[in-house]
């Protein structure tokens, strides 16, 4: 693991603090993914086995992606904005900054104890107790280790949630973060009851037809820049309406862009209400989180996201210019 500036305790220290609590809320980030929801639910299952009162919160009052609804406990997620109960502790998982906590940040400011378990590197801790390991392939691998520190027996529910986060954050064990530790932990999770085939079917072979129609439009807008080393595409509000598609239906599309031979950085932009959401992925060592940060976003070196408050054509122009300026020359330099 890497010791980061925002780490100020150990998982053992966090386990000890959690054991002293009676009521806890667990929150993740806005636009929650498999690692976020998987981390929240895995930890909630474990704490409930210890007799704790636990509420899992959604940063925004928006439904979760339907392909994560199979996760045990997903039906009990509560929007942070409608939660007004008292908690001894707010645990933030898979989320490094107050802005990404959405409606749960109010609770972070008033909870007697705040805890972060995460794998996103940021300069500052937002919680009193903070454990961040950017080398961890998923936050669920840290939760998995925390569950052991809590002295809770693993079970199929905990394993299913943990495995789902690990599978999704490693892009089905294909990204750079799918290292030996990730496989070793996946093996433990499977031994404890996670069913890789069933989980994979729920998450990846469960697309609405609308998502596939949307893919056709995304492909029709595809731009291959810099001799094909940058793939850029976009979807407008009209595109979503034409396909009867919603936000979640666009999630798989960044992977279509990155699957193209020769592409080193992929960028997918889509209009969501008044803003444009962007996803960036790198197949080489380009730091796309640095690009995302320039636009107020963030994430990991190889997978990052951003939100732009400009009209879609402007967002496309801005990202195109940025990618051509910085990724293009690196491609030429590498003889790609
Ligand atoms: P995605 O493209 O799937 O939305 O996000 C990829 C990664 O970047 C995830 O780890 C996510 O947490 C992170 N991320 C996405 N959008 C943002 C953002 O606006 N700000 C920050 N700090 N991280 C983001
Ligand atoms: Mn994650």
């Amino acid at each position: 693991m890497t010791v980061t500036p925002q780490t100020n305790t150990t998982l053992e220290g966090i386990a000890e603090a959690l054991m002293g609590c009676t009521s806890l809320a667990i929150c993740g980030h806005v636009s929650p993914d498999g690692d976020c929801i998987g981390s929240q639910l895995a930890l909630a299952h474990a704490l409930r086995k210890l007799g704790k009162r636990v509420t899992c919160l959604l940063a925004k009052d928006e439904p979760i992606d339907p392909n994560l609804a199979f996760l045990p406990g997903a039906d009990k997620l509560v929007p942070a904005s409608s939660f007004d109960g008292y908690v001894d502790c707010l645990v933030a998982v898979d989320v490094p900054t107050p802005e990404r906590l959405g409606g749960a940040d109010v609770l972070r400011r008033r909870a007697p104890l705040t805890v972060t378990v995460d794998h996103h590197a940021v300069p500052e801790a937002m919680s009193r107790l903070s454990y961040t390991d950017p080398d961890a392939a998923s936050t669920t691998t840290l939760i998995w280790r925390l569950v052991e520190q809590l002295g809770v027996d693993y079970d199929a529910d905990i394993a299913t949630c943990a495995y789902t986060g690990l599978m999704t954050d490693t892009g089905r064990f294909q990204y750079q973060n799918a290292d030996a530790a990730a496989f070793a932990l996946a093996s433990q999770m499977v031994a404890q009851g996670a069913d890789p085939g069933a989980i994979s079917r729920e998450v990846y072979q469960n697309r609405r037809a609308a998502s596939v129609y949307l893919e056709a439009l995304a492909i029709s807008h595809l731009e291959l820049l810099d001799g094909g080393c940058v793939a850029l595409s976009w979807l407008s509000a009209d595109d979503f309406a034409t396909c009867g598609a919603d936000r979640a239906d666009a999630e798989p599309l960044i992977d279509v862009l990155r699957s193209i031979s020769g592409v080193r950085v992929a960028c997918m932009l889509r209009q969501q209400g008044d803003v444009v959401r962007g996803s960036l992925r790198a197949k080489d060592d380009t730091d796309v989180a640095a690009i995302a940060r320039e636009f107020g976003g963030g994430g990991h070196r190889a997978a990052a996201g951003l939100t732009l408050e400009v009209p879609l054509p402007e967002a496309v122009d801005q990202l195109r210019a940025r990618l051509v300026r910085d990724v293009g020359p690196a491609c030429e330099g590498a003889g790609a």
Side-chain angles (χ1 to χ4, degrees), residues 32-52:
D33 55 14
D35 191 31
C36 172
I37 305 271
S39 296
Q40 290 180 266
L41 297 179
L43 181 58
H45 286 302
L47 290 171
R48 287 192 190 113
K49 285 173 87 167
L50 290 171
K52 312 291 180 195

Side-chain angles (χ1 to χ4, degrees), residues 224-230 262-265 284-286 320-336:
L224 286 169
L225 310 166
D226 281 316
C229 80
V230 174
V263 167
R264 299 166 66 146
V265 173
D284 62 5
D285 59 1
T286 303
R320 186 193 296 111
R322 176 64 179 75
L323 292 167
V324 167
R325 189 189 79 200
D326 286 2
V327 181
C331 288
E332 284 157 25

Side-chain angles (χ1 to χ4, degrees), residues 205-235:
Q205 275 127 67
N206 212 1
R207 283 174 74 181
R208 300 199 310 148
S211 171
V212 181
Y213 297 136
L214 202 59
E215 181 171 327
L217 294 183
I219 293 169
S220 74
H221 301 152
L222 173 66
E223 297 180 26
L224 286 169
L225 310 166
D226 281 316
C229 80
V230 174
L232 172 71
S233 187
W234 49 269
L235 289 164

Side-chain angles (χ1 to χ4, degrees), residues 109-237:
R109 283 188 263 121
R110 68 163 193 253
L113 176 65
T114 51
V115 170
T116 290
V117 180
D118 191 17
H119 68 151
H120 297 92
V122 288
E124 260 177 68
M126 66 168 170
S127 299
R128 182 142 74 79
L129 297 179
S130 185
Y131 186 88
T132 296
D133 180 1
D135 290 339
S138 68
T139 299
T140 60
T141 63
L142 302 176
I143 300 295
W144 187 253
R145 290 170 45 207
L146 177 59
V147 170
E148 189 177 13
Q149 294 292 329
L150 286 166
V152 172
D153 287 337
Y154 293 124
D155 61 28
D157 283 353
I158 297 172
T160 298
C161 294
Y163 181 90
T164 300
L166 181 52
M167 177 188 77
T168 53
D169 260 30
T170 55
R172 316 178 205 194
F173 302 96
Q174 291 171 18
Y175 299 160
Q176 296 91 327
N177 59 354
D179 54 13
F183 279 99
L185 289 163
S187 167
Q188 288 182 21
M189 294 165 191
V190 172
Q192 296 293 343
D195 179 341
I199 294 172
S200 171
R201 276 193 298 280
E202 290 284 0
V203 177
Y204 296 118
Q205 275 127 67
N206 212 1
R207 283 174 74 181
R208 300 199 310 148
S211 171
V212 181
Y213 297 136
L214 202 59
E215 181 171 327
L217 294 183
I219 293 169
S220 74
H221 301 152
L222 173 66
E223 297 180 26
L224 286 169
L225 310 166
D226 281 316
C229 80
V230 174
L232 172 71
S233 187
W234 49 269
L235 289 164
S236 67

Side-chain angles (χ1 to χ4, degrees), residues 219-302:
I219 293 169
S220 74
H221 301 152
L222 173 66
E223 297 180 26
L224 286 169
L225 310 166
D226 281 316
C229 80
V230 174
L232 172 71
S233 187
W234 49 269
L235 289 164
S236 67
D238 279 352
D239 293 330
F240 282 89
T242 304
C243 300
D246 59 28
R247 185 179 58 79
D249 293 317
E251 290 297 324
L253 306 186
I254 184 74
D255 287 326
V256 177
L257 304 191
R258 65 177 278 152
S259 71
I260 301 166
S261 174
V263 167
R264 299 166 66 146
V265 173
C267 175
M268 183 73 223
L269 296 165
R270 60 255 181 222
Q271 199 173 340
Q272 277 175 23
D274 293 341
V275 302
V276 176
R277 277 285 304 161
S279 288
L280 288 162
R281 300 290 185 268
K283 272 157 82 174
D284 62 5
D285 59 1
T286 303
D287 184 359
V288 290
I291 299 175
R293 278 195 296 273
E294 270 183 38
F295 294 94
H300 308 275
R301 268 191 89 82

